[in-house]
Amino acid sequence: MRFNNRFFFSASLTLFIILFCVILDNKNQQSPVYLVPYFSGAANYQLPNKWLFLEQEVYTYKLLNTSLKENYRFKVNASKAVLYNYNHIGLVYIISIATSIFFWLGDVSALEWFQIAVHCLTSIWILGFLRTPISRLLFIMLYVFNPLIIYFVTFPYYYFWQVVATASIVPYLWNKSFKYKNYIWLVASLLALIQLTRPTIILIPVLFFVLYFFFESPWKSIIGLILFLVLINIFTARKLDNAPTYWHTVFVGIGAYPNDYITTLSDNEAYNFFNRKTAKNITYTIPGGNVYTDLSIRNEYFTFLKNEYFQVLKSHPILLIKNAVLNFFQSFSLGYFVDYPLWVNYLSSLAGFIFFILLFLKKHFLWIMAIAFNSLTFTPYYPPIQAYMFGGYILIICAFIQLLNDFDIIRKLNSWIQNSKIYPMLPSA
């Protein structure tokens, strides 16, 4: 029986994805305590951008077992809620949407199921642009049911949501005649939500509006960009101070490869380095850590790391350039593997370099730009660990299938499969 009925195929695939996600989620359930400000924030949020949360729920939530954490409903108590302004607020909005849709579930479970639903829709959306049964089968195997992908689909955090932005540009890369038409307002709103969730994705919305400008309508692209910027401005959580927190990440990134400053890629390395140099301790707990609550130590810490980074840049520029090059090519591969032998990450860089060269030789400059833009905001100083570059996997896998098409491998496989007994079982248009 062939899957000629598109609805039947989509429904069947959705059910299989859900089943697969549930099986893996039951094996890898994680509900860390640092999620509390987001979930409590969603319960106590005040329009348009006031992020409040209950500190006491950190301690309540921490004592729960995994099952109770999944089903826990965060309390509403505006009178006791305190202002939280240290991370990006987008996930708070997403949790609010998730708990409104899956209102009968616990808050963490609601977010997980929302992410599974979006994974199903995104997968079916991309499959619609693939023209042969073999290319669809490859996408299903490499992306839809990939355990690495499913891990982040079922992890209730902002890492997953990057894929909404990257998936938005795939149609333009696969099919130059594709049109969003007047739905630019919807895409611009979604991109604004993802930007509020994960600001490192900023180059992807920029690329989207550029592609819409050239492939569809210049003036609608400008209107969409204005809407995007207005929404970000309205719904960004207001900050109490302007401490340059990104210098922590910049300095920690040095530890991804051998150096004379810090030994591993770990937040604690930066805290310990600061302690050794200044005899002052940094605590980074939620809530109560002095890097959150003490503005003087907060500014001193980040300023110190900034100065130290520039000292490294001045004395060992080749080290940082080498790190940036390795990071860049890893973003075209499986990324950086934390706590793995160094040769694994060198191999990842080599694989990414080969993939980059093949795309360049086949003149797939838009694919190169899209994959690079997904991580280019941080790869100059921090390695593309799987969580940070998650949105890039859908681009890498689609570009890989494109290369197989270029080398005529898809056609040959399709021809061979057509003569086999399994061909009638493969999804067709």
Side-chain angles (χ1 to χ4, degrees):
M1 175 179 180
R2 298 191 62 172
F3 291 113
N4 290 322
N5 188 310
R6 188 180 295 272
F7 174 79
F8 178 67
F9 169 64
S10 299
S12 301
L13 181 63
T14 299
L15 290 175
F16 278 117
I17 294 172
I18 291 173
L19 178 62
F20 195 67
C21 288
V22 169
I23 291 172
L24 287 191
D25 185 37
N26 287 335
K27 292 182 179 179
N28 301 303
Q29 284 186 351
Q30 296 187 56
S31 302
V33 71
Y34 58 73
L35 294 173
V36 172
Y38 295 97
F39 285 94
S40 180
N44 293 279
Y45 172 81
Q46 295 180 2
L47 287 171
N49 50 27
K50 199 171 184 180
W51 184 352
L52 301 170
F53 89 112
L54 297 174
E55 290 183 312
Q56 182 57 44
E57 288 211 279
V58 174
Y59 307 105
T60 302
Y61 188 78
K62 190 175 182 179
L63 296 175
L64 301 176
N65 62 36
T66 300
S67 176
L68 291 176
K69 285 179 179 177
E70 294 280 314
N71 296 301
Y72 185 76
R73 292 178 182 270
F74 286 81
K75 306 297 187 295
V76 179
N77 192 335
S79 63
K80 293 185 178 181
V82 297
L83 189 65
Y84 186 87
N85 74 325
Y86 309 106
N87 293 323
H88 303 287
I89 196 172
L91 186 62
V92 172
Y93 299 132
I94 291 173
I95 292 170
S96 297
I97 297 170
T99 53
S100 297
I101 296 173
F102 299 94
F103 56 87
W104 62 93
L105 298 175
D107 293 356
V108 174
S109 292
L111 179 59
E112 291 173 344
W113 278 98
F114 192 29
Q115 292 183 177
I116 292 171
V118 172
H119 178 62
C120 293
L121 293 173
T122 302
S123 299
I124 293 170
W125 161 260
I126 300 301
L127 282 166
F129 296 97
L130 304 178
R131 296 303 176 204
T132 66
I134 291 300
S135 60
R136 295 191 190 97
L137 182 62
L138 283 171
F139 183 77
I140 289 172
M141 292 171 58
L142 296 175
Y143 183 80
V144 179
F145 291 111
N146 186 330
L148 172 64
I149 302 300
I150 299 300
Y151 174 82
F152 289 105
V153 169
T154 57
F155 190 91
Y157 205 37
Y158 58 68
Y159 299 138
F160 165 78
W161 292 94
Q162 300 168 93
V163 75
V164 174
T166 50
S168 71
I169 62 175
V170 170
Y172 286 135
L173 305 181
W174 269 114
N175 181 1
K176 302 299 188 297
S177 63
F178 173 82
K179 304 293 183 184
Y180 276 105
K181 299 180 180 178
N182 293 327
Y183 288 101
I184 179 65
W185 63 270
L186 175 60
V187 183
S189 300
L190 287 174
L191 290 175
L193 177 60
I194 304 308
Q195 180 63 29
L196 289 168
T197 305
R198 188 65 174 156
T200 59
I201 207 75
I202 181 60
L203 294 178
I204 296 297
V206 170
L207 180 58
F208 170 83
F209 289 114
V210 170
L211 293 174
Y212 190 95
F213 183 95
F214 286 105
F215 293 161
E216 298 204 41
S217 169
W219 70 270
K220 287 182 182 179
S221 175
I222 294 171
I223 292 175
L225 178 59
I226 293 172
L227 174 62
F228 171 80
L229 296 173
V230 168
L231 290 174
I232 290 174
N233 183 66
I234 292 175
F235 291 102
T236 296
R238 294 297 178 244
K239 302 293 183 180
L240 293 175
D241 62 80
N242 295 314
T245 59
Y246 51 82
W247 288 110
H248 170 84
T249 306
V250 171
F251 185 78
V252 169
I254 299 173
Y257 309 98
N259 66 91
D260 297 329
Y261 300 91
I262 54 178
T263 57
T264 60
L265 187 72
S266 168
D267 291 335
N268 290 329
E269 288 288 316
Y271 306 145
N272 294 336
F273 186 86
F274 179 75
N275 175 253
R276 289 197 304 270
K277 296 290 186 177
T278 67
K280 296 180 180 179
N281 287 319
I282 285 290
T283 57
Y284 200 83
T285 56
I286 300 175
N290 61 4
V291 77
Y292 284 126
T293 58
D294 189 330
L295 184 58
S296 62
I297 194 73
R298 177 179 170 84
N299 284 322
E300 180 182 355
Y301 173 68
F302 292 118
T303 302
F304 170 83
L305 292 185
K306 179 184 73 171
N307 294 335
E308 288 296 322
Y309 182 82
F310 279 111
Q311 284 296 322
V312 178
L313 180 61
K314 182 179 178 180
S315 57
H316 295 91
I318 301 302
L319 169 68
L320 298 184
I321 292 171
K322 181 204 73 173
N323 291 1
V325 171
L326 290 171
N327 294 343
F328 177 79
F329 288 117
Q330 284 165 9
S331 70
F332 282 79
S333 181
L334 294 177
Y336 179 91
F337 294 83
V338 180
D339 297 329
Y340 276 70
L342 194 59
W343 65 265
V344 174
N345 291 309
Y346 286 145
L347 184 62
S348 179
S349 293
L350 177 61
F353 174 74
I354 294 171
F355 187 55
F356 176 91
I357 293 299
L358 290 174
L359 289 172
F360 185 84
L361 292 176
K362 289 298 181 179
K363 300 182 179 180
H364 290 306
F365 303 124
L366 279 180
W367 282 111
I368 291 174
M369 188 179 300
I371 295 169
F373 277 15
N374 179 66
S375 303
L376 200 56
T377 52
F378 62 85
T379 48
Y381 57 84
Y382 197 87
I385 61 176
Q386 285 79 16
Y388 286 12
M389 68 168 282
F390 176 74
Y393 286 125
I394 198 167
L395 298 171
I396 292 169
I397 290 166
C398 288
F400 176 71
I401 294 172
Q402 179 68 66
L403 282 178
L404 294 181
N405 271 318
D406 294 342
F407 287 103
D408 213 25
I409 295 173
I410 293 288
R411 186 190 63 80
K412 291 177 180 178
L413 279 174
N414 199 60
S415 177
W416 178 74
I417 291 292
Q418 280 182 339
N419 297 319
S420 72
K421 294 181 180 180
I422 67 170
Y423 181 74
M425 301 172 62
L426 297 178
S428 61

